[in-house]
Amino acid sequence: FIKKEIGVRFVVNAKGMQNRPVQLELRLRASGKKDILVGTKKITPARSKQLLPQEFTIEVDEAGDYLLEVSAIVDGDDQIPSNNTALSFISVREGGAKILLIDTVRSESRFTRLAISDSPDFDVEYYPMTVLDRKNRRGQPKRIEQDIEFRDYDVIIIGNVHQSEISPEAQQAIVRRVREGTGIIFTGGYYSFAAGAYGESQMRELFPVELGRGRGQRFDQPINRSFHVEGDVKIRKITSPHPITTIMTEPENSDMWAALPALDGMNRLSPKTTAPGVQVLLMSTDNDPILVKGQASNGRVLSLATDTTHRWWLAGKKSFCKQFWRQAILWLINRENLNEGFKLDMETRRML
């Protein structure tokens, strides 16, 4: 995004460069514009074969498509010059991604805002809803009307909100925006998914999971446990890689997912079997879907069954929690490759 810092990560694969200074340069190129030398640095490999992770920070002032070129310069002529340059591409958008979070005042909404707001290119606006469960209920339900300009947002997050709290006009506006390209996440709660009667809503077509029909959880009744998976829920990562769930390289990535603290219950989900683009990305060790992706015309959709990802943050996995939410947002706005690095190979010339 314009005027937002981004780290450009790459790896120098140095072979035969032991104790030789290497000058690294990063240039930004665009058609019809003058090349920009973003930064330079010197490194000195300590071993004859070494992988050296590097990073430059860039900030672009104008929107557009750019070519990133990183090059390595070494004194002498015994290296292979064709290996000393690597290229990558970046698309820069006007402004950052605007995210609307509609949820009750609870720990998950608080830590979700913290996790997403940590990214300088994300702007989160919080629309707090009335707490509706019998134990903590205060006042009357707050209703979402059409006064929200949903077209102003790149991503909408709907949390513990019964569908009856969203007016028919607002539901129509949300469906229209998602079909036009706005991303949307539905997260868990006592009034989410089937428990929130979304099977009776105009938004039911957006969900990548089955919702059934019926009134869902009534505000004046005890919690209906049939809508939920109760107790601790351990995560088992799906083996098929996806940008949202690939937080680090394997096998560390799968090990980290398995080592995360258990979630505190979640909504019971059943993925649609005929809708296009539906895929289960995360499952529990009991084979209950936790994260399901889908597609609604031009908009990307996520159903996240839990409302306790903040447990990761509180258990010392703050960086993991922030990265998960960042990658989920990037995927929803079709920018999942934004943080991918690239490799620069350097190798001495072979004398035949």
Side-chain angles (χ1 to χ4, degrees), residues 170-333:
Q171 291 191 27
Q172 291 173 10
I174 291 171
V175 171
R176 183 167 55 252
R177 287 303 305 146
V178 173
R179 293 180 68 85
E180 290 173 352
T182 295
I184 191 166
I185 312 177
F186 299 97
T187 68
Y190 287 134
Y191 300 99
S192 302
F193 301 106
Y198 280 89
E200 300 290 336
S201 76
Q202 297 182 55
M203 293 186 291
R204 61 182 178 272
E205 66 182 79
L206 302 179
F207 287 78
V209 296
E210 301 290 353
L211 298 169
R213 304 303 289 262
R215 297 178 61 184
Q217 176 66 50
R218 296 184 57 176
F219 301 137
D220 58 348
Q221 295 295 320
I223 297 301
N224 185 339
R225 305 296 174 181
S226 67
F227 291 126
H228 308 281
V229 176
E230 298 186 290
D232 285 349
V233 177
K234 290 290 291 181
I235 294 176
R236 175 175 66 83
K237 179 181 174 290
I238 296 298
T239 54
S240 178
H242 190 273
I244 296 176
T245 54
T246 304
I247 309 296
M248 56 189 70
T249 58
E250 295 292 356
E252 291 81 5
N253 190 58
S254 293
D255 293 341
M256 178 61 78
W257 279 108
L260 287 173
L263 301 167
D264 184 13
M266 65 180 190
N267 291 76
R268 197 177 299 278
L269 301 183
S270 176
K272 291 179 178 177
T273 57
T274 58
V278 173
Q279 181 185 358
V280 178
L281 302 181
L282 289 175
M283 292 187 73
S284 73
T285 52
D286 292 329
N287 294 322
D288 291 307
I290 298 173
L291 180 64
V292 184
K293 79 171 185 73
Q295 189 82 25
S297 294
N298 294 320
R300 290 180 169 184
V301 184
L302 289 174
S303 288
L304 177 63
T306 183
D307 60 354
T308 54
T309 63
H310 64 273
R311 276 193 164 193
W312 306 340
W313 185 299
L314 297 176
K317 307 295 183 183
K318 179 169 69 174
S319 295
F320 188 95
C321 184
K322 291 191 294 187
Q323 191 64 26
F324 166 77
W325 277 104
R326 175 172 174 79
Q327 291 181 195
I329 298 298
L330 287 174
W331 180 81
L332 286 165
I333 62 173

Side-chain angles (χ1 to χ4, degrees), residues 31-263:
S31 178
K33 299 178 182 178
K34 186 178 179 180
D35 290 358
I36 300 172
L37 179 61
V38 176
T40 64
K41 65 169 65 175
K42 282 190 176 181
I43 61 172
T44 303
R47 299 189 297 274
S48 61
K49 186 177 181 180
Q50 190 172 8
L51 295 176
L52 299 166
Q54 302 295 318
E55 182 172 358
F56 283 104
T57 299
I58 66 172
E59 183 176 308
V60 184
D61 294 329
E62 297 182 24
D65 295 323
Y66 293 85
L67 175 69
L68 293 171
E69 179 187 77
V70 63
S71 57
I73 303 170
V74 184
D75 291 336
D77 59 355
D78 59 339
Q79 72 271 11
I80 303 174
S82 61
N83 285 355
N84 292 5
T85 300
L87 305 174
S88 187
F89 296 90
I90 183 172
S91 294
V92 181
R93 301 175 63 193
E94 290 278 357
K98 293 193 66 176
I99 299 142
L100 176 63
L101 172 61
I102 304 172
D103 202 351
T104 50
V105 180
R106 53 180 183 161
S107 295
E108 184 71 356
S109 59
R110 177 193 171 204
F111 283 96
T112 298
R113 296 199 310 276
L114 288 173
I116 298 175
S117 297
D118 185 71
S119 296
D121 42 5
F122 294 161
D123 180 17
V124 184
E125 182 176 329
Y126 180 42
Y127 193 94
M129 301 295 292
T130 308
V131 177
L132 292 174
D133 62 273
R134 292 200 314 155
K135 183 178 179 180
N136 299 305
R137 186 174 181 180
R138 307 187 203 47
Q140 295 300 312
K142 182 178 180 180
R143 190 171 172 85
I144 299 171
E145 302 292 347
Q146 204 177 2
D147 57 345
I148 297 178
E149 293 291 346
F150 294 106
R151 66 173 177 268
D152 292 341
Y153 301 96
D154 300 289
V155 174
I156 300 169
I157 304 174
I158 297 180
N160 188 34
V161 180
H162 195 281
Q163 69 92 12
S164 64
E165 299 176 83
I166 308 173
S167 73
E169 293 77 17
Q171 291 191 27
Q172 291 173 10
I174 291 171
V175 171
R176 183 167 55 252
R177 287 303 305 146
V178 173
R179 293 180 68 85
E180 290 173 352
T182 295
I184 191 166
I185 312 177
F186 299 97
T187 68
Y190 287 134
Y191 300 99
S192 302
F193 301 106
Y198 280 89
E200 300 290 336
S201 76
Q202 297 182 55
M203 293 186 291
R204 61 182 178 272
E205 66 182 79
L206 302 179
F207 287 78
V209 296
E210 301 290 353
L211 298 169
R213 304 303 289 262
R215 297 178 61 184
Q217 176 66 50
R218 296 184 57 176
F219 301 137
D220 58 348
Q221 295 295 320
I223 297 301
N224 185 339
R225 305 296 174 181
S226 67
F227 291 126
H228 308 281
V229 176
E230 298 186 290
D232 285 349
V233 177
K234 290 290 291 181
I235 294 176
R236 175 175 66 83
K237 179 181 174 290
I238 296 298
T239 54
S240 178
H242 190 273
I244 296 176
T245 54
T246 304
I247 309 296
M248 56 189 70
T249 58
E250 295 292 356
E252 291 81 5
N253 190 58
S254 293
D255 293 341
M256 178 61 78
W257 279 108
L260 287 173
L263 301 167

Side-chain angles (χ1 to χ4, degrees), residues 6-10 68 88-89 243 330 335-343:
I6 180 174
V8 178
R9 298 191 293 269
F10 58 97
L68 293 171
S88 187
F89 296 90
L330 287 174
R335 291 294 186 275
E336 61 265 32
N337 295 323
L338 187 62
N339 281 339
E340 289 187 355
F342 49 104
K343 181 179 285 188

